[in-house]
Amino acid sequence: MSGTSGEFIGVLPAAGRGTRLAPLRYPKELLPITYEPAGGDGTGVRARAVAEYALAAIATADADRVLLVVAPWKLDVLNYFGDGQHVGMEIGYLYQEEARGLPYALDLARSWTRGLHVVFAMPDTIITPVDAPARLRERYLATGADLALAVFPAAEPERLGPVLLDGERVVEVLDKPARPPVANTWGLAIWGDAFADLLHQGLAEVPGDAGEPALGHFFDLAVRQGLKVIGVPFPEGSFEDAGTRVGILRCLDAQPAPPRSPGQQPAPSRSDLASRT
């Protein structure tokens, strides 16, 4: 972590095409997966965009500023979040003209996050426990890691990014393997300049005619090039992806209670919501 200050900043990429939910033309980051009380007496209900959940999770890692990466077809995300005041965070925006894949979206933030610790989450996922980023931050700092991955159980690791661990030491990071050796996946990450530089250099070496690279490839590259990469398992946790039809249903069924401000009423259950409609 040499050359990195003590400040943490969130990065949330929201510039993808969302092809897995086609023909949906609505930004998947704004899908109303979760709900929270509204109104002075807490009896009302406000739909909560799934990306708000990711922002709240990032905030648990003491990151009160976030960079959102958007694209021309995702300007509704900018209009929804604005300056971030209504979600209690400072939000800035980076503009990606073309959908080139997740690694390129993250690399856009490199010059803006120089000297900072980056807390990365995906805006169409819900994780539990909700303080996983805070616990990941604690281990990241305690171990002096260059890259820290939060690792969650996965029912379908062949669709995700399994992580082989030796204690907390990451041995290998896979991407959608046909025969996963473990039933888990990475779900969020924290890194400093060393990994940001490796990602930038690695992308510069990707042939122009190559397809979209997988972020897990660069996580594994960091391991192979000798960066200190740790994985923090959350065996009691969960990782749900709202970027697919099946994932949306799973998010609704396994919806965790979002982090609440002091005095805020608990989020209503699905049965409560049904009784109010």
Side-chain angles (χ1 to χ4, degrees):
M1 293 192 300
S2 59
T4 304
S5 76
E7 185 178 352
F8 285 71
I9 185 169
V11 175
L12 202 65
R17 289 283 187 183
T19 55
R20 294 180 299 170
L21 287 177
L24 180 71
R25 295 178 180 272
Y26 185 75
K28 62 181 179 179
E29 295 83 2
L30 302 184
L31 289 172
I33 297 296
T34 62
Y35 298 86
E36 64 183 11
D41 58 2
T43 59
V45 175
R46 183 183 83 89
R48 194 175 198 222
V50 66
E52 290 187 59
Y53 200 89
L55 290 172
I58 287 173
T60 71
D62 289 340
D64 57 7
R65 296 188 299 144
V66 178
L67 291 171
L68 261 133
V69 184
V70 297
W73 52 89
K74 287 290 184 73
L75 295 185
D76 284 343
V77 174
L78 186 155
N79 292 331
Y80 182 86
F81 287 110
D83 62 5
Q85 183 177 0
H86 78 280
V87 292
M89 305 183 82
E90 292 183 37
I91 297 180
Y93 296 88
L94 297 173
Y95 189 75
Q96 187 178 38
E97 286 279 359
E98 301 177 11
R100 303 183 64 193
L102 180 57
Y104 287 102
L106 294 171
D107 188 51
L108 278 179
R110 177 171 170 260
S111 63
W112 299 89
T113 61
R114 200 73 184 158
L116 305 176
H117 304 289
V118 171
V119 184
F120 157 64
M122 290 174 286
D124 57 352
T125 60
I126 292 179
I127 59 168
T128 63
V130 293
D131 67 343
R135 291 159 61 179
L136 185 66
R137 176 187 187 274
E138 180 181 352
R139 296 305 302 152
Y140 169 80
L141 291 174
T143 60
D146 297 305
L147 168 65
L149 304 176
V151 182
F152 302 91
E156 299 176 294
E158 67 276 7
R159 296 177 48 251
L160 300 167
V163 181
L164 293 178
L165 295 169
D166 178 8
E168 282 190 341
R169 182 177 68 89
V170 173
V171 176
E172 187 178 9
V173 180
L174 305 170
D175 183 67
K176 299 178 181 177
R179 296 183 177 179
V182 289
N184 68 25
T185 184
W186 63 266
L188 58 96
I190 298 177
W191 63 72
D193 287 343
F195 176 73
D197 290 344
L198 178 146
L199 175 63
H200 183 74
Q201 181 60 38
L203 288 172
E205 296 172 1
V206 173
D209 58 351
E212 293 186 0
L215 182 59
H217 165 78
F218 296 99
F219 288 161
D220 189 62
L221 182 63
V223 175
R224 290 185 279 115
Q225 292 198 359
L227 269 62
K228 185 167 186 176
V229 183
I230 68 165
V232 179
F234 293 90
E236 80 288 6
S238 64
F239 173 87
E240 299 296 350
D241 178 5
T244 66
R245 295 173 178 84
V246 173
I248 290 173
L249 295 175
R250 287 178 176 169
C251 286
L252 289 169
D253 288 337
Q255 182 184 131
R260 291 185 284 127
S261 303
Q264 185 180 9
Q265 295 294 319
S269 66
R270 293 180 72 183
S271 59
D272 289 337
L273 293 173
S275 67
R276 296 179 192 179
T277 57

